[in-house]
Amino acid sequence: MARPNPELIDALRRTARKLQEGAPYEWGHMGGCNCGNLAQELTKLTKAQIHAYAMQRYGDWNEQVADYCPTSYMPIDLVISEMLQAGLAIEDLKNLEKLTDRRVLARFPIEKRYLRHNHRDDVVAYLTEWAALLEDELLAKIELPKFDAVEWQPVS
């Protein structure tokens, strides 16, 4: 699972918001699908640039990720590297493309867990819940000092 960090959480929420507000979405387009839209936020590349980079090699995002090589200098591998540096894992990209991360899905009511990977509203719901999950994980790691309520002194 992704390394929770404020930048990644924000990128997930920005991607969900843009999709909800009508950003171009096309599941069969490498720059406009689930991963492609998040890649736009994380890399600041355009939909067309991401698609062009991906077309230099065969396959969809799952195949591109399976063939990922951090030292290849293939443009799509550079995109994937940037996404990984933002805190994502290879499995996250595979799960995002198909909306299949069990930890994310478990946060939905049972009757809403069957998301359609190529429907904008389901992608928005998945991204939003994933961001909330990562935020919960990040907040759980924060330990605040304990203070004595009377003297406002740290308690040892």
Side-chain angles (χ1 to χ4, degrees):
M1 171 63 74
R3 288 184 327 271
N5 64 74
E7 295 78 18
L8 177 57
I9 294 165
D10 187 48
L12 291 167
R13 288 191 171 130
R14 282 193 321 268
T15 303
R17 185 173 47 254
K18 286 181 177 181
L19 286 169
Q20 191 169 36
E21 293 172 354
Y25 179 74
E26 185 179 349
W27 192 77
H29 188 283
M30 292 293 291
C33 58
N34 306 354
C35 286
N37 273 283
L38 181 57
Q40 289 178 52
E41 285 302 309
L42 292 172
T43 66
K44 304 306 177 205
L45 294 170
T46 67
K47 172 183 170 181
Q49 288 171 312
I50 295 165
H51 186 74
Y53 292 166
M55 292 298 100
Q56 292 178 25
R57 192 162 62 201
Y58 64 91
D60 63 12
W61 271 96
N62 278 321
E63 292 167 314
Q64 298 278 0
V65 168
D67 291 340
Y68 167 70
C69 175
T71 58
S72 77
Y73 297 107
M74 289 284 297
I76 193 63
D77 285 340
L78 297 174
V79 170
I80 293 169
S81 287
E82 198 166 338
M83 295 175 81
L84 298 178
Q85 288 170 8
L88 295 170
I90 292 290
E91 278 305 306
D92 295 320
L93 297 175
K94 291 177 182 179
N95 287 329
L96 173 57
E97 200 56 22
K98 298 287 187 171
L99 307 181
T100 55
D101 188 296
R102 290 181 180 187
R103 292 180 51 208
V104 175
L105 295 173
R107 294 172 62 98
F108 286 95
I110 291 173
E111 67 275 6
K112 297 195 180 209
R113 289 184 187 169
Y114 300 98
L115 302 177
R116 298 160 297 172
H117 65 274
N118 57 352
H119 282 72
R120 177 190 302 266
D121 291 342
D122 288 353
V123 177
V124 169
Y126 184 92
L127 289 167
T128 301
E129 200 56 50
W130 189 14
L133 170 65
L134 293 177
E135 183 177 57
D136 289 348
E137 289 178 356
L138 182 63
L139 291 174
K141 292 180 181 180
I142 297 172
E143 189 173 319
L144 298 174
K146 299 190 185 333
F147 286 89
D148 183 304
V150 176
E151 298 182 28
W152 289 99
Q153 297 293 322
V155 175
S156 14

